[in-house]
């Protein structure tokens, strides 16, 4: 097969989503957000605790339906971070 | 840029490193022992390689049955019942993928099934110079280090400067060819990888490129490095002096969602002396860092297109600890006097299926 044919075939596979073997990587994606003081205050009023960052774990971000929910892991801050 | 190298056309029997690699593959990684029955399911294009596997296994008093991967699904699957261990000898594609997963579901890896990707003379000769126990230990210790510092930094003489924050909720993969959890053992060895959205910086890819779509050009990038700009786990810009290489990458990244980083990986097989011109899994196992982008939904094959960008020489650090530098891993990663770490993270033992 010539290089031109190989390139054409590669382009066809991109368009068709036609993999020759599959990669298996877990689908969750997470985003870590460092919270502003104002956001920390809002959370402190709701929880009586201080959190300085929140990690959102999003599942199946490639699904056609839009992401509407996420698992949230709140990271507690120390006393100094409350100032 | 040249055509992919047809290295499977070489005659394996005349190559002593191929014989040593075959023995390591069959007896260390696959765990074949005297008296066992080995089923070889081979891509017809690598029949000569499978023939050499047969000769080596029979010399060790194993019984060998060999069939073409072109055989229909039910015939191949039926033969699994009559073997102790099966090895799928693949070239650039995975045969009977779903059928094998269905077969293994609910079984405790009986029979043991392995899949050797890119089964060329080069892969067997260069991919099996390190023992499974060494690479398993090294893999787990690198993950331990990455989790300990929660971050990795990758730099290279070519200009790579990448910062990665480890996602503690994400699964890690350590591949050393073990058949486990309902999946065939993946060969050649070895790498670790995980996923994080927190990737920032510049990657100058001067090692190789790999894709499960079959990269159509010479896989090696030393003469034509690709520069990727990455922000928040997304590739934002590609630069390459070789315009066809740049075009093909850009066309791939233009698929909705395909510009997303889905894998940060470290090849841990420092027995591999150089990159292969052919797009095989061997390149990903080279002792270096790689970044995988694309869609990685294993449940939907049409949403599973993937490109790996593999660095050449690079330095990988976790905090003050240097994991890899100048192609050498830190000696304490391979320390046999310490017990293996217990990792507080989900771990799986396969990546390609």
């Amino acid at each position: 097969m010539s290089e031109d044919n190989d390139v054409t075939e590669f382009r066809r596979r991109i368009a068709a989503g036609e993999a020759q073997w599959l990669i298996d990587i877990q689908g969750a994606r997470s985003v870590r957000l460092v919270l502003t003081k104002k956001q920390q205050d809002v959370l402190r009023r709701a929880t009586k605790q201080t959190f300085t960052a929140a990690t959102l774990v999003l599942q199946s971000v490639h699904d056609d339906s839009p992401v509407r929910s996420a698992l949230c892991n709140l990271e507690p801050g120390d006393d100094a971070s409350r100032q | 840029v040249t055509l992919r190298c047809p290295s499977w056309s070489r005659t394996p029997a005349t190559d002593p490193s191929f014989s040593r690699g075959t023995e390591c593959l069959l007896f260390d990684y696959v765990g074949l022992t005297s008296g066992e029955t080995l089923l070889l399911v081979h891509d017809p294009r690598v029949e000569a390689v499978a023939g050499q596997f047969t000769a080596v296994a029979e010399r060790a008093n194993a019984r060998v049955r060999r069939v073409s991967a072109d055989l229909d699904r039910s015939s191949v699957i039926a033969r699994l019942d009559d073997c102790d261990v099966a090895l799928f000898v693949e070239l650039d594609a995975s045969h009977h993928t779903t059928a094998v997963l269905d077969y293994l579901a609910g079984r405790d890896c009986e029979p043991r099934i392995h899949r050797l990707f890119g089964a060329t003379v080069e892969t067997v000769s260069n991919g099996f110079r390190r023992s499974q126990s060494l690479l398993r230990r090294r893999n787990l210790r690198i993950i331990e280090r990455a989790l300990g510092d929660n971050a990795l930094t990758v730099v290279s003489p070519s200009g790579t400067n990448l910062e990665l924050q480890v996602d503690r909720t994400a699964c890690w993969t350590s591949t050393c060819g073990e058949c486990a959890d309902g999946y065939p053992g993946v060969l050649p060895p070895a790498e670790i990888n995980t996923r994080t959205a927190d990737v920032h910086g510049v990657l100058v890819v001067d090692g190789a490129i790999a894709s499960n779509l079959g990269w159509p050009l010479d896989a090696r990038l030393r003469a034509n490095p690709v520069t990727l700009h990455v922000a928040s786990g997304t590739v934002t810009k590609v630069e390459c002096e070789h315009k066809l290489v740049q075009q093909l990458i850009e066309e791939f990244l233009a698929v909705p969602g395909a510009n997303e980083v889905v894998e940060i990986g470290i090849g841990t097989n420092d027995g591999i002396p150089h990159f292969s011109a052919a797009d095989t899994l061997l390149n990903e196992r080279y002792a270096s860092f790689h970044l995988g982008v694309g869609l990685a939904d294993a449940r939907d094959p049409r949403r599973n297109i993937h490109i790996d960008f593999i660095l050449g020489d690079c330095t990988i650090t976790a905090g003050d600890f240097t994991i890899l530098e100048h192609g050498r891993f830190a000696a304490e990663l391979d320390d046999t006097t310490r017990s293996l770490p217990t990792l507080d993270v989900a771990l799986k033992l396969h990546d390609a299926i």
Side-chain angles (χ1 to χ4, degrees):
Chain A
M1 191 184 282
S2 72
E3 181 177 305
D4 285 349
N5 286 343
D6 281 346
V7 169
T8 301
E9 179 64 9
F10 182 74
R11 286 177 159 141
R12 187 192 66 75
R13 286 187 183 136
I14 292 176
E18 192 177 295
Q20 294 176 283
W21 49 272
L22 301 181
I23 187 86
D24 184 16
I25 296 174
Q26 300 298 305
R29 179 187 182 183
S30 71
V31 181
R32 183 174 180 271
L33 303 173
V34 177
L35 301 175
T36 64
K37 291 295 177 197
K38 194 169 181 180
Q39 290 166 332
Q40 290 180 33
D41 288 342
V42 171
L43 270 176
R44 186 162 52 241
R45 283 197 292 274
T47 66
K48 312 295 184 197
Q49 290 176 272
T50 299
F51 298 100
T52 54
T55 299
L56 301 177
V57 182
L58 309 161
Q59 298 289 339
S60 303
V61 292
H62 294 311
D63 285 354
D64 293 330
S65 58
V67 173
R68 296 192 189 281
S69 61
L71 181 67
C72 182
N73 179 45
L74 297 171
E75 295 179 30
D78 54 26
D79 287 340
S81 67
R82 299 183 190 185
Q83 304 309 311
Chain B
V1 176
T2 61
L3 279 172
R4 279 180 288 163
C5 177
S7 54
W8 53 87
S9 62
R10 286 167 56 194
T11 306
T14 58
D15 190 337
S17 62
F18 179 82
S19 298
R20 284 193 295 273
T22 300
E23 290 172 1
C24 179
L25 160 64
L26 291 180
F27 306 132
D28 186 11
Y29 283 88
V30 172
L32 183 67
T33 57
S34 174
E36 285 194 316
T37 298
L38 168 67
L39 173 67
L40 294 172
V41 184
H42 66 84
D43 186 306
R45 292 169 292 174
V46 288
E47 185 172 11
V49 171
Q52 187 73 1
F53 290 175
T54 302
V56 172
E58 286 180 340
R59 277 204 298 274
N61 298 317
R63 292 182 294 274
V64 181
R65 294 172 184 154
R66 212 164 87 202
V67 297
S68 167
D70 281 348
L71 206 62
D72 66 272
R73 166 191 170 130
S74 57
S75 299
V76 169
I77 297 304
R79 282 167 167 79
L80 292 174
D81 287 331
D82 300 323
C83 70
D84 299 297
V85 56
L87 176 61
F88 284 72
V89 187
E90 306 283 19
L91 186 54
D92 53 7
S94 173
H95 289 85
H96 306 292
T97 312
T98 308
V100 170
L101 293 179
D102 290 345
Y103 182 84
L104 280 173
R107 292 171 180 260
D108 189 22
C109 280
E110 290 292 339
R112 310 184 305 275
I113 301 179
H114 302 262
R115 199 182 289 278
L116 173 64
F117 288 91
T120 63
V121 173
E122 190 173 22
T123 290
V124 177
S125 301
N126 295 337
F128 294 91
R129 299 179 181 194
R130 299 289 182 269
S131 70
Q132 188 178 51
S133 61
L134 171 84
L135 296 181
R136 183 190 295 122
R137 184 184 312 118
R138 179 180 292 168
N139 281 4
L140 296 179
R141 294 246 174 83
I142 294 173
I143 295 172
E144 179 186 35
R145 283 287 180 174
L147 288 170
D149 206 70
N150 271 340
L152 293 170
T153 301
V154 185
V155 297
S156 76
S158 301
T160 292
N161 194 337
L162 205 64
E163 299 286 338
L164 309 110
Q165 195 76 30
V166 171
D167 179 353
R168 295 194 72 87
T169 66
C171 180
W172 281 79
T173 299
S174 168
T175 65
C176 287
E178 295 142 310
C179 177
D181 308 323
Y183 289 88
V186 186
L187 295 167
E191 75 168 80
I192 59 161
N193 64 58
T194 186
R195 183 170 180 167
T196 174
D198 211 341
V199 183
H200 306 270
V202 175
L203 197 73
V204 181
V205 190
D206 56 355
I209 191 167
S211 175
N212 65 353
L213 300 171
W215 181 250
L217 310 172
D218 190 325
R220 296 166 298 184
L221 292 177
R222 186 168 186 174
N224 300 295
V226 173
T227 301
L228 299 179
H229 298 261
V230 184
S232 299
T234 301
V235 176
T236 56
K237 186 179 176 186
V238 181
E239 297 170 289
C240 181
E241 288 190 4
H242 194 290
K243 291 307 164 196
L244 180 56
V245 171
Q246 177 160 339
Q247 279 171 18
L248 292 175
I249 294 169
E250 287 178 339
E251 287 171 30
F252 177 92
L253 296 175
V255 174
N259 65 340
E260 187 176 316
V261 173
V262 294
E263 175 189 8
I264 54 169
I266 300 175
T268 57
N269 189 340
D270 58 350
I272 301 169
H274 49 71
F275 289 109
S276 168
D279 174 13
T280 68
L281 202 57
L282 186 71
N283 283 340
E284 233 181 296
R285 307 320 201 195
Y286 182 89
S288 181
F289 174 83
H290 61 267
L291 189 83
V293 302
L295 311 174
D297 187 344
R299 299 162 304 174
D300 181 357
R302 290 180 61 80
R303 302 186 69 80
N304 196 292
I305 60 172
H306 190 73
I307 285 186
D308 282 297
F309 296 97
I310 308 160
L311 299 191
D313 181 28
C314 68
T315 301
I316 304 171
T317 53
D320 295 334
F321 183 77
T322 300
I323 293 171
L324 175 73
E325 191 170 36
H326 303 313
R328 300 175 74 125
F329 287 95
E332 65 179 89
L333 297 170
D334 300 337
D335 183 356
T336 56
T337 62
R338 289 171 50 220
S339 58
L340 290 175
T342 302
L343 301 172
D344 183 22
V345 68
L347 187 71
K348 62 187 180 69
L349 303 179
H350 69 279
D351 52 0
I353 53 178

